[in-house]
Amino acid sequence: MPNNLGAKLKDVAVLAQVSVGTVSNVLNKPEQVSADKKNRVLAAIDQLGFVRNESARSLRSGSSRSLGMLVLDVRNPFFTDVALGAEDVADAHKHSFILANSAENSVREQSYLDLFEQQRVQGILITPLGDVIKRLEVMRSRGIPSVLVDRLAGAGHFCSVSVDDAAGGRAAMEHLLSVGSTRPAFVGGPFTLQQVDDRYHGALAATEAAGVRLQLFETPNLKFERGRHVGDLINKLPPDTRPDGVFAANDQLALGLLQSFTENGLRVPEDIAIVGFDDIDFASQSSIPLTSIRQPRQLIGERAAELLFDEIDNGPEHEHQQVVFMPELVVRRSSQRA
């Protein structure tokens, strides 16, 4: 088969003995073309090695058949699973899927939004880091709608899919208190992330109701290494002031804490119980299986993509929805005291 990347629509039309419009319909609306003409066009495409220029098509139509997704940390398995759910829906709609990583960096977040706009994606799924709502509103006015993922759109101007983070934080802390923790702690940050703030305040509500003080170890991000660092700090505290139960804002932090504690001789859960958030696959596979607050990760991605396609297809008739899933406490060895 020749590999003629320079072949154009008109070359295919000449070889197939059809109009350029017929070739275009075969590529975009094949159901409108007779079987005979479609077979001739496909044979010509195969013979010429024709490759459709998607960039040119996007310029003509004003948009591409693609979705963009921007997440906080692509290394976090939670976001990988959410993206897989969204990608399945995009594939079912015959759209390509572009996954980008802001790496919890607001400048990088803006750069990717610029790129998505330049690529004329049909819609965006985003876990926001900074205050990007005004920017997303401008993009929507230009024909690129967005759905917020893992964050509640309180104002109702966007669709959003999230879990009740405050309820999850409260459930995590109530569990630690129920297994005998009297010096509980929260590890997480930054609090500019709404998810972290909600999880902390859910935990705080539980300790205040129980009349117990909640220690706070704030982190600049939610990465494994930060969990290890805080774990090393906690290990150096005197036993009578050291936390005996820790709720981490996500599983990566919790697994970092777990590694630090076990390497430094602290017994989990006997000396210190640990609860994470997200219930990523590694939570159940760690050396001491991790108690965690489970989110329906792939379902979050699927539902967000479905809402985005509904807005793409229905435009002004689309009604924004704020979908909130309830999280689930999954108890494992890291908090199971005899």
Side-chain angles (χ1 to χ4, degrees):
M1 180 193 304
N3 183 18
N4 182 10
L5 294 179
K8 296 180 173 58
L9 281 179
K10 65 180 181 180
D11 299 321
V12 175
V14 168
L15 185 60
Q17 297 182 327
V18 298
S19 68
V20 171
T22 297
V23 177
S24 178
N25 283 339
V26 170
L27 295 172
N28 299 294
K29 303 173 184 176
E31 70 280 358
Q32 297 183 4
V33 184
S34 68
D36 174 63
K37 288 183 178 179
K38 181 161 58 177
N39 289 335
R40 280 156 49 197
V41 169
L42 292 175
I45 287 173
D46 187 58
Q47 181 176 337
L48 292 172
F50 170 79
V51 177
R52 173 155 67 175
N53 187 335
E54 281 294 328
S55 297
R57 192 189 74 85
S58 298
L59 286 169
R60 288 192 300 272
S61 67
S63 66
S64 66
R65 292 185 64 83
S66 61
L67 298 186
M69 184 169 191
L70 183 56
V71 300
L72 292 178
D73 182 5
V74 76
R75 295 183 302 173
N76 185 339
F78 166 76
F79 290 114
T80 305
D81 290 342
V82 172
L84 286 171
E87 185 180 30
D88 286 344
V89 174
D91 184 64
H93 284 76
K94 302 187 185 304
H95 276 59
S96 60
F97 186 77
I98 306 169
L99 179 61
N101 176 32
S102 71
E104 299 183 26
N105 183 302
S106 58
V107 174
R108 187 164 172 167
E109 179 180 62
Q110 291 294 335
S111 294
Y112 273 119
L113 289 175
D114 290 341
L115 178 63
F116 286 159
E117 190 164 15
Q118 291 163 11
Q119 294 294 320
R120 291 177 168 81
V121 298
Q122 284 206 310
I124 296 171
L125 302 170
I126 181 170
T127 305
L129 174 65
D131 185 8
V132 296
I133 297 301
K134 290 183 179 179
R135 171 69 189 279
L136 296 179
E137 288 174 342
V138 170
M139 294 179 74
R140 177 198 282 153
S141 71
R142 296 171 179 170
I144 304 176
S146 299
V147 171
L148 308 187
V149 181
D150 196 34
R151 174 174 159 184
L152 179 65
H157 301 309
F158 290 86
C159 284
S160 65
V161 182
S162 61
V163 299
D164 190 330
D165 287 298
R170 183 161 192 148
M173 189 53 61
E174 287 177 343
H175 172 67
L176 285 174
L177 296 174
S178 74
V179 299
S181 292
T182 58
R183 299 186 303 277
F186 176 86
V187 176
F191 282 87
T192 51
L193 291 177
Q194 191 63 51
Q195 303 93 314
V196 174
D197 190 66
D198 287 347
R199 292 169 195 179
Y200 170 72
H201 280 94
L204 185 62
T207 55
E208 288 179 342
V212 176
R213 176 176 172 267
L214 178 62
Q215 296 185 60
L216 170 63
F217 295 86
E218 188 172 355
T219 61
N221 58 54
L222 299 168
K223 294 181 172 56
F224 175 89
E225 295 79 8
R226 280 292 137 190
R228 273 196 58 95
H229 176 71
V230 173
D232 292 343
L233 294 177
I234 290 175
N235 182 69
K236 296 174 183 177
L237 295 174
D240 59 342
T241 62
R242 187 172 58 214
D244 59 2
V246 177
F247 167 41
N250 77 349
D251 285 346
Q252 290 196 116
L253 286 173
L255 291 170
L257 288 164
L258 176 62
Q259 187 178 93
S260 172
F261 293 157
T262 55
E263 286 181 358
N264 285 289
L266 283 177
R267 297 173 303 161
V268 176
E270 292 82 3
D271 295 326
I272 186 165
I274 307 174
V275 178
F277 203 109
D278 291 337
D279 195 33
I280 62 176
D281 290 340
F282 295 134
S284 63
Q285 298 166 6
S286 60
S287 57
I288 299 176
L290 180 68
T291 295
S292 186
I293 301 295
R294 175 178 292 167
Q295 301 194 67
R297 304 180 300 276
Q298 288 199 219
L299 184 58
I300 289 172
E302 291 170 6
R303 190 73 185 99
E306 288 167 356
L307 289 172
L308 185 58
F309 275 113
D310 187 75
E311 186 168 359
I312 291 169
D313 294 339
N314 296 309
E317 297 179 3
H318 167 79
E319 294 185 6
H320 297 311
Q321 299 180 44
Q322 282 71 54
V323 178
V324 181
F325 293 104
M326 287 303 297
E328 174 190 359
L329 174 68
V330 180
V331 179
R332 300 192 181 95
R333 178 76 183 99
S334 72
S335 66
Q336 287 180 321
R337 288 174 171 155

